[in-house]
Amino acid sequence: MKGTFLFSLLTAKAISTALRVTKLSGGTSIIGKIVLKICPDFLTHANKYINTKINITGTNGKTTTSGLISHLLKESGNSVINNALGANMIQGVVNTLAVDLNPLKKYSYSVIESDEAFLEVIYDKFEADYLVVTNLFRDQLDRYGELATTKKFIQNGIDKGFNNKGEKPVLILNADDPLVASFTGGKYKIYYGVEEVIYAEGLKPSESHTEEAFNCPCGKPLNYNKKFYAQQGHYSCECGYKRPEPKYKANVTLYKDHSVLQINGENYEVPLVGLFNAYNALGAITLCKELGIETEKIQKSIKTFKVAFGRSEVKYLNGKRTLIQLIKNPIGANEVLKTVDLDSNLLIIINDNYADGRDVSWLWDAEFEVLNPTPQSPHARGGEAQKEIIVSGSRANDMALRLKYAGVDTDRIKVISDIEKAVDYIGKSADNNITILPTYTALLKLDKMKNLKRK
């Protein structure tokens, strides 16, 4: 079988080269499908080429967290394989390993983002040393169902995962999310959490009315003495269940273009916006500290981190600064919407392909009212968006209707279903900065557009 494995590697690299030359596809999953046809046990064979295997799962923040971990490990002198483009189902994971793995080399780490529903499938043949779980929010009801189903997918993965010593994976868990904190199993658990959030530079917390309901395992509602967003905060139940004490505690100061995390008395300046990204950084730093990476190296390296495409990434369209932020479910969208510059020119792209989720009812749970605040509104942030809002994608009309019911004047809503035409239009009509909020497959299309350029 080793010959079949090596043949699958050569095939993967040949196809990858051909795709790159012809630009027919980004090749994030198609190669994985072919490799698994040639060598169904590919992941079993790949194990021996990697010393320590790290997986990241959860509803939101997987790509940013895995990217941060990979960056920090590489900057500390380690060799790392990472599915940086976020292809996180079984074919995408195999795709990454087959293209990047050199059979004449041993790698220090693999850092693999894993779709919640595919973690068990990956762990069926791929070893498990560390698992980071970011959060659990309602997401893609047509694929996952409710939160209990998503949680079960991950728990099944934890129960199946073992490393090459026969040990369960070490669990790195978000203590502030009661669903994540309640996972069982693992060799042992390391918790991280936020203690305080400070808003600087005139920023202020934006109240969210869309929250995930979660009862204690005993069935009673949880009580919160601090709630940061969604169900994340400091919680307890009269039965005794409560937020576990984090080993890594952060005081977070949010600025307009970055955040500062004080973790156990050490400061880390993170070049990412929003509290949701502060949580991603905290999870990544927690893991790296557990791996023994020196504080000074983390502090220095994290400042140079470049986000994956579409995760608060800045590009330029016709010379205009363009911020691209992925949205895909109510809680994630709400946190992104809180950071939107109301003076920027806005394009929202909603697709309903399989990878996006066919069910777009989540648009009605996300608080697009923040795009039309009034001084009396709970969403008021000291400004009111008055510019035209462009909507695009296969569900552009659904998005336009949602904006209408959010109170946005219909004269300000322009529907351009074709994504390329919408991008071209806003690039020519925008009078200053641009913000683009796409779903996943729309993001992939944006990534291929030559008129969106890095500085």
Side-chain angles (χ1 to χ4, degrees):
M1 285 298 291
K2 184 176 180 181
T4 305
F5 172 74
L6 293 176
F7 177 68
S8 72
L9 281 181
L10 291 174
T11 302
K13 296 178 192 312
I15 297 173
S16 177
T17 300
L19 291 175
R20 191 165 56 251
V21 171
T22 60
K23 299 180 181 179
L24 291 175
S25 168
T28 57
S29 294
I30 188 172
I31 296 172
K33 293 178 182 178
I34 295 170
V35 166
L36 288 172
K37 288 284 187 182
I38 298 171
C39 183
D41 289 328
F42 179 88
L43 288 176
T44 301
H45 291 284
N47 281 313
K48 66 180 181 180
Y49 295 96
I50 303 163
N51 290 329
T52 302
K53 300 163 189 73
I54 300 163
N55 288 77
I56 299 88
T57 196
T59 310
N60 288 57
K62 296 185 291 292
T63 301
T64 300
T65 304
S66 64
L68 266 167
I69 292 168
S70 179
H71 175 74
L72 295 174
L73 292 176
K74 287 178 180 178
E75 290 296 302
S76 296
N78 298 287
S79 53
V80 180
I81 293 180
N82 170 230
N83 53 340
L85 296 178
N88 55 28
M89 299 181 191
I90 184 68
Q91 296 94 339
V93 172
V94 171
N95 200 119
T96 294
L97 292 169
V99 171
D100 292 350
L101 195 149
N102 180 344
L104 301 178
K105 179 180 178 180
K106 191 99 170 182
Y107 294 82
S108 305
Y109 297 96
S110 62
V111 180
I112 301 298
E113 169 190 338
S114 305
D115 180 279
E116 304 94 289
F118 281 83
L119 184 65
E120 181 181 5
V121 179
I122 293 167
Y123 277 174
D124 190 46
K125 294 184 178 180
F126 199 57
E127 293 166 1
D129 292 298
Y130 291 86
L131 175 64
V132 181
V133 187
T134 58
N135 48 57
L136 284 178
F137 302 139
R138 188 162 55 88
D139 184 41
Q140 296 192 26
L141 295 179
D142 55 317
R143 286 182 58 207
Y144 298 114
E146 288 295 343
L147 287 171
T149 303
T150 308
K151 183 175 185 292
K152 185 177 180 181
F153 284 143
I154 297 176
Q155 186 64 63
N156 289 344
I158 293 171
D159 294 340
K160 179 164 282 190
F162 289 91
N163 65 14
N164 60 7
K165 298 178 183 178
E167 301 169 329
K168 300 294 293 179
V170 174
L171 303 183
I172 309 294
L173 303 176
N174 178 359
D176 294 349
D177 187 320
L179 280 166
V180 173
S182 65
F183 280 117
T184 60
K187 182 179 178 180
Y188 55 86
K189 303 174 190 177
I190 302 294
Y191 293 101
Y192 62 90
V194 170
E195 296 298 301
E196 299 288 347
V197 180
I198 300 169
Y199 293 83
E201 297 182 337
L203 297 177
K204 59 180 179 178
S206 179
E207 182 182 354
S208 175
H209 299 280
T210 303
E211 299 184 352
E212 301 292 1
F214 177 71
N215 287 341
C216 174
C218 76
K220 297 178 181 178
L222 286 171
N223 299 310
Y224 283 82
N225 57 39
K226 291 181 183 178
K227 184 173 276 193
F228 300 118
Y229 74 93
Q231 74 267 27
Q232 297 195 126
H234 298 188
Y235 51 85
S236 63
C237 179
E238 59 187 54
C239 75
Y241 179 74
K242 63 180 181 179
R243 171 188 184 249
E245 186 69 15
K247 181 176 179 180
Y248 296 90
K249 304 177 183 180
N251 291 322
V252 179
T253 303
L254 299 174
Y255 297 88
K256 290 180 179 179
D257 60 356
H258 72 285
S259 61
V260 174
L261 278 63
Q262 186 183 68
I263 305 172
N264 299 354
E266 300 167 346
N267 285 345
Y268 301 84
E269 185 175 328
V270 180
L272 301 171
V273 300
L275 182 55
F276 59 101
N277 274 323
Y279 268 104
N280 295 335
L282 178 55
I285 292 168
T286 295
L287 175 68
C288 289
K289 295 282 283 185
E290 286 298 302
L291 293 173
I293 307 300
E294 296 175 3
T295 297
E296 293 78 9
K297 287 184 178 180
I298 298 175
Q299 290 171 323
K300 180 180 178 180
S301 299
I302 203 166
K303 293 179 181 180
T304 62
F305 174 68
K306 303 296 183 184
V307 294
F309 181 66
R311 278 75 172 184
S312 303
E313 186 192 28
V314 173
K315 283 200 169 185
Y316 286 82
L317 178 60
N318 291 355
K320 297 157 187 171
R321 185 181 186 273
T322 302
L323 177 65
I324 304 171
Q325 300 223 68
L326 173 70
I327 57 173
K328 62 172 189 162
N329 55 41
I331 298 301
N334 286 349
E335 291 307 301
V336 167
L337 287 166
K338 291 175 185 178
T339 69
V340 170
D341 178 3
L342 298 180
D343 290 325
S344 67
N345 299 267
L346 181 59
L347 168 60
I348 306 173
I349 311 175
I350 305 297
N351 280 348
D352 64 348
N353 298 313
Y354 177 75
D356 304 295
R358 302 285 189 186
D359 183 354
V360 296
S361 63
W362 65 269
L363 295 175
W364 296 89
D365 293 326
E367 296 183 353
F368 288 97
E369 285 75 9
V370 302
L371 301 178
N372 190 50
T374 64
Q376 295 78 30
S377 168
H379 306 289
R381 302 206 308 261
E384 183 174 352
Q386 293 293 341
K387 294 180 180 178
E388 188 175 56
I389 298 177
I390 317 303
V391 294
S392 186
S394 59
R395 301 302 287 265
N397 288 321
D398 296 78
M399 188 66 245
L401 183 64
R402 176 66 185 94
L403 290 176
K404 174 183 176 181
Y405 278 87
V408 178
D409 190 327
T410 54
D411 290 339
R412 290 177 48 215
I413 304 170
K414 186 174 183 65
V415 178
I416 306 176
S417 297
D418 184 278
I419 297 174
E420 290 189 4
K421 290 180 180 178
V423 170
D424 183 64
Y425 175 86
I426 199 168
K428 292 176 179 176
S429 64
D431 57 358
N432 57 10
N433 294 341
I434 297 169
T435 299
I436 304 179
L437 307 181
T439 55
Y440 182 70
T441 62
L443 180 64
L444 297 180
K445 190 171 184 67
L446 292 173
D447 194 26
K448 298 177 182 178
M449 292 186 184
K450 295 181 180 180
N451 52 347
L452 276 167
K453 302 175 181 178
R454 293 183 183 274
K455 193 170 184 179

